[in-house]
Amino acid sequence: QVQLVESGGGLVQAGGSLRLSCAASGRTFNGYSMAWFRQAPGKEREFVAAISWSSWGISSTYYADSVQGRFTISRDNAQNTVYLQMNSLKPEDTAVYYCAARLGVVVRDSGLYNYWGQGTQVTVSS
């Protein structure tokens, strides 16, 4: 069993930055692909970014088109933590952001992730 706890959400003005963190515990981080999803009110949960596991420490990253070039996902395997650096934030980025984990390769389908955090609210004011 993997427990995920997100932190770092908050209220920020458009154009600002936030860094989300997701701390994993309960089982080794090894072999797990990690992802961030978000869900805005009245909308479906959507893929934001993901990062693969690599035993050599060179992970691959994947992004939704809407955040490409503005968001950066990274992981610290020694700390069992994954990060989402969000720059140039827009009001349409407002959502609850969720961290997710799955054993195996990265996928963009939220239904294929086994473990989820409780979510952290990000609000971007115009």
Side-chain angles (χ1 to χ4, degrees):
Q1 191 77 7
V2 175
Q3 292 81 43
L4 303 174
V5 178
E6 302 100 332
S7 60
L11 173 63
V12 64
Q13 288 189 331
S17 298
L18 283 174
R19 188 175 84 153
L20 306 183
S21 299
C22 172
S25 63
R27 185 171 278 189
T28 178
F29 212 37
N30 295 357
Y32 282 84
S33 292
M34 304 297 296
W36 289 95
F37 291 81
R38 67 186 181 187
Q39 188 166 18
K43 295 187 176 182
E44 293 188 352
R45 190 169 297 187
E46 65 174 356
F47 171 81
V48 175
I51 186 165
S52 65
W53 161 258
S54 170
S55 56
W56 294 280
I58 304 175
S59 297
S60 297
T61 57
Y62 308 82
Y63 298 95
D65 290 343
S66 59
V67 306
Q68 180 77 49
R70 299 189 297 122
F71 290 10
T72 302
I73 189 170
S74 60
R75 65 191 295 165
D76 183 337
N77 293 329
Q79 298 295 322
N80 284 358
T81 302
V82 63
Y83 303 97
L84 185 67
Q85 177 67 43
M86 305 185 295
N87 298 329
S88 302
L89 282 161
K90 305 174 180 180
E92 51 264 43
D93 294 318
T94 295
V96 177
Y97 283 70
Y98 297 91
C99 176
R102 73 183 303 269
L103 190 61
V105 301
V106 166
V107 296
R108 297 181 181 232
D109 184 347
S110 62
L112 297 178
Y113 283 80
N114 306 103
Y115 303 103
W116 292 85
Q118 81 289 351
T120 186
Q121 176 70 47
V122 171
T123 303
V124 184
S125 63
S126 58

